[in-house]
Amino acid sequence: MKAAYINHYGKLEQIQFGKQPKPIIQDNEILVKVHAVSINPLDLRMVEGEFKAVLPVHFPFILGNDLAGVIVEVGSGVHHFKVGDEVFAKTDGQGCFAEYTSLKETSVALKHKNISMSQAAALPLVALTAWQALVEIAQLRRGQKILIHAGSGGVGSIAIQLAKHLGANVATTTSAKNADWVKELGADIVLDYKTTNFAEVLSDYDVVFDTQGGETLEQSLQVLKTGGTVVSIAGPPDKNMAQAIGANWIMSKIIPLLSLSIRAKAKKRGIHYHFLFMQPNGEQLSRIAELVETQKMVPVLDRVYDFTEFSQAIQHVDGGHTKGKVVVNIS
């Protein structure tokens, strides 16, 4: 099968496009013919080896985290899906920048008929990230105030919609050119990150969803009320990541040390810090699909490419200014 893969860590230019073996599924897995995928900044960081210390891979490694497609084979232990089902999912091992990929049954959800394969492929990683941050960790409730950083990005644009569905008052940061658009998504307060320091104008917030890390994360502590929560996907990892990846004894002790400083600063302010290492979850995806079906959540596509344009799509994402998700049609 055709695939996009790497033979070693390196630069984006070293991504290979060629033939790789078609996956052989286990009893609890399904085989999906991939119709569309989306490219995430995470994929680019995997190429560069940013996570090799905690998430080592075997080469050649097929890239890709988000997909939509059609089931062509099911394992003997699969009971909730059948050949011909249209599905979407966040990968759980095998990458999806290929004609076929294998997935555990528990990672997959049915794609509703009212969205295209391209739209469905844009959802899994960002929607699961937003769901696990806002619903599972922060337990965001009606009437609470949340600051979502980078509201025009892939994760931010979905998080805004989910937060509004949950009944929260939403502030977000973005560039001035995207201000009206993120308001349409549901943001109540929009701050131009180029001209306004959010920490100087916002206060007494219940939740901050940090997608930036660094100084942005540090300043986010200032806008939270005592007892507030900051959930980060870009800050230093804590024990939750060690547990999620099944780290060995040594790494389970080392990983939490990386967030010792930010956790200490948060604790001093009476704030809860959580690092989110998103996990595939078919049940949560099914609930997300229901929101999409009722148009309470809309997939946001920046641009759609063909597989022959994969290199251009990767460079587009690497530019760092996408409005929503970049999708590639595989078939």
Side-chain angles (χ1 to χ4, degrees):
M1 65 176 184
K2 61 185 179 183
Y5 60 95
I6 54 174
N7 287 315
H8 52 78
Y9 295 120
K11 298 181 179 180
L12 300 182
E13 294 78 13
Q14 294 170 308
I15 297 175
Q16 302 292 306
F17 300 93
K19 297 292 185 179
Q20 287 294 309
K22 185 177 175 180
I24 298 173
I25 62 171
Q26 304 297 314
D27 290 346
N28 65 338
E29 293 181 330
I30 64 174
L31 183 67
V32 175
K33 180 172 176 54
V34 180
H35 283 235
V37 300
S38 68
I39 301 175
N40 297 280
L42 172 63
D43 301 312
L44 312 188
R45 292 157 71 188
M46 288 293 294
V47 173
E48 296 163 353
E50 185 169 333
F51 305 107
K52 61 184 178 182
V54 292
L55 293 173
V57 301
H58 299 287
F59 299 109
F61 177 70
I62 297 175
L63 300 163
N65 283 277
D66 284 331
L67 73 133
V70 178
I71 296 176
V72 294
E73 185 181 349
V74 298
S76 60
V78 173
H79 303 294
H80 298 99
F81 298 94
K82 64 183 184 303
V83 171
D85 282 345
E86 294 185 345
V87 296
F88 69 128
K90 159 69 177 73
T91 56
D92 51 34
Q94 170 84 25
C96 63
F97 291 172
E99 289 183 275
Y100 297 90
T101 193
S102 60
L103 296 143
K104 294 183 179 67
E105 179 182 24
T106 53
S107 299
V108 179
L110 291 172
K111 179 188 81 65
H112 282 289
K113 300 296 183 182
N114 66 330
I115 62 172
S116 67
M117 288 288 185
S118 296
Q119 290 173 313
L123 281 168
L125 186 145
V126 294
L128 285 172
T129 298
W131 184 279
Q132 291 172 21
L134 274 57
V135 178
E136 299 295 319
I137 297 176
Q139 299 181 10
L140 188 65
R141 301 186 302 276
R142 180 170 300 279
Q144 289 190 319
K145 298 197 301 182
I146 181 172
L147 167 61
I148 298 170
H149 287 295
S152 61
V155 174
S157 59
I158 291 296
I160 289 172
Q161 296 179 69
L162 179 59
K164 289 306 294 183
H165 168 68
L166 295 171
N169 182 283
V170 181
T172 192
T173 57
T174 188
S175 62
K177 66 179 181 180
N178 290 323
D180 290 340
W181 178 66
V182 294
K183 286 181 181 178
E184 291 176 6
L185 292 177
D188 300 289
I189 299 173
V190 179
L191 302 176
D192 181 355
Y193 72 90
K194 295 180 180 180
T195 61
T196 304
N197 184 338
F198 68 89
E200 295 178 353
V201 297
L202 301 179
S203 62
D204 206 34
Y205 271 65
D206 300 282
V207 179
V208 172
F209 185 23
D210 167 53
T211 61
Q212 305 293 294
E215 185 178 353
T216 298
L217 171 58
E218 295 270 354
Q219 291 187 326
S220 292
L221 301 180
Q222 300 175 35
V223 310
L224 286 162
K225 63 172 61 173
T226 301
T229 299
V230 55
V231 183
S232 179
I233 59 173
D238 57 16
K239 65 179 182 180
N240 296 314
M241 180 173 181
Q243 293 169 354
I245 66 173
N248 61 35
W249 185 86
I250 295 176
M251 292 304 295
S252 68
K253 301 300 180 183
I254 293 175
I255 290 174
L257 294 177
L258 301 175
S259 59
L260 189 61
S261 175
I262 190 68
R263 285 189 287 113
K265 292 175 182 177
K267 184 177 181 180
K268 187 176 181 179
R269 290 177 171 268
I271 293 165
H272 307 287
Y273 171 78
H274 296 268
F275 176 81
L276 170 61
F277 183 72
M278 188 274 291
Q279 296 290 294
N281 190 305
E283 182 179 349
Q284 292 175 1
L285 265 185
S286 294
R287 297 178 68 180
I288 290 164
E290 293 172 2
L291 297 180
V292 175
E293 185 180 29
T294 56
Q295 297 186 327
K296 294 173 182 175
M297 182 182 290
V298 178
V300 180
L301 274 63
D302 181 277
R303 185 170 174 182
V304 179
Y305 292 84
D306 291 326
F307 190 75
T308 56
E309 303 172 303
F310 216 110
S311 294
Q312 295 97 302
I314 289 171
Q315 293 301 323
H316 186 139
V317 175
D318 190 42
H321 297 288
T322 58
K323 185 178 176 180
K325 297 297 294 293
V326 172
V327 172
V328 177
N329 287 327
I330 303 297
S331 61

